[in-house]
Amino acid sequence: MIVGEIGHSCVPIVTFRRGKPDASARGRTMRRAGFTLIEMLVGVVFIVLVAMIAIPYVRGKQARAKITALAFDLRDLAQAEKAYQLDHGSYTASLSSLTSQMSPGVVVTITNATASGWSAIATHPQLAPLTCAIFVGSVPAQAPAISERKIVCQ
């Protein structure tokens, strides 16, 4: 038993100690290094679940971006064909005669070109069998296009 004084008054402070110091106090000061097997497994399962959700989403976005590239390339081709027609009086079947640049991976083919109109298709090897098409003027419609000057992908 320990007795002491606080300030001027004589108030005894009594503290009792029983037995030896707590053995668990020593264990709390030690730090464990690394992760347990269960913690590692939970982490790996979490990463796999996130990947299972994210990968299809990203692939869908990539496919939509490529379809958009097909449509934009045909739109640029239409502008280049119009500029060529204003300069030369007819449309051209040669892509090298035009000032239009195609997106990487996009294959554009002018299928018909006359003095009064033209048609073209655009494809991408990773989107097969999807095709985008456009026609302008008095040429037969290029499937899947059904309306003049309207880009259709199917």
Side-chain angles (χ1 to χ4, degrees):
M1 182 167 87
I2 301 173
V3 178
E5 288 184 21
I6 297 179
H8 290 57
S9 64
C10 266
V11 178
I13 299 177
V14 179
T15 308
F16 295 97
R17 293 187 191 158
R18 292 185 194 171
K20 297 180 182 178
D22 188 11
S24 64
R26 278 185 283 143
R28 282 185 280 187
T29 60
M30 295 176 50
R31 296 188 180 261
R32 61 180 181 145
F35 298 102
T36 65
L37 182 60
I38 297 296
E39 291 170 334
M40 293 295 288
L41 287 174
V42 168
V44 169
V45 167
F46 179 74
I47 291 170
V48 167
L49 288 174
V50 169
M52 286 173 50
I53 294 169
I55 289 173
Y57 178 76
V58 169
R59 287 201 177 141
K61 290 285 187 185
Q62 288 174 338
R64 282 187 289 244
K66 288 176 181 141
I67 292 168
T68 302
L70 293 175
F72 276 117
D73 285 353
L74 285 177
R75 182 187 56 104
D76 290 344
L77 177 66
Q79 291 174 348
E81 280 280 10
K82 182 65 177 170
Y84 186 90
Q85 191 267 342
L86 290 173
D87 290 343
H88 298 92
S90 66
Y91 296 103
T92 182
S94 171
L95 285 173
S96 61
S97 301
L98 302 172
T99 58
S100 180
Q101 280 192 332
M102 301 304 138
S103 301
V106 174
V107 178
V108 174
T109 306
I110 300 173
T111 56
N112 193 357
T114 65
S116 59
W118 62 276
S119 61
I121 60 170
T123 58
H124 194 288
Q126 294 177 348
L127 294 175
L130 183 107
T131 302
C132 294
I134 186 173
F135 74 97
V136 175
S138 59
V139 295
Q142 175 66 50
I146 53 174
S147 300
E148 183 180 1
R149 297 184 190 277
K150 184 161 175 112
I151 299 169
V152 178
C153 297
Q154 187 176 6

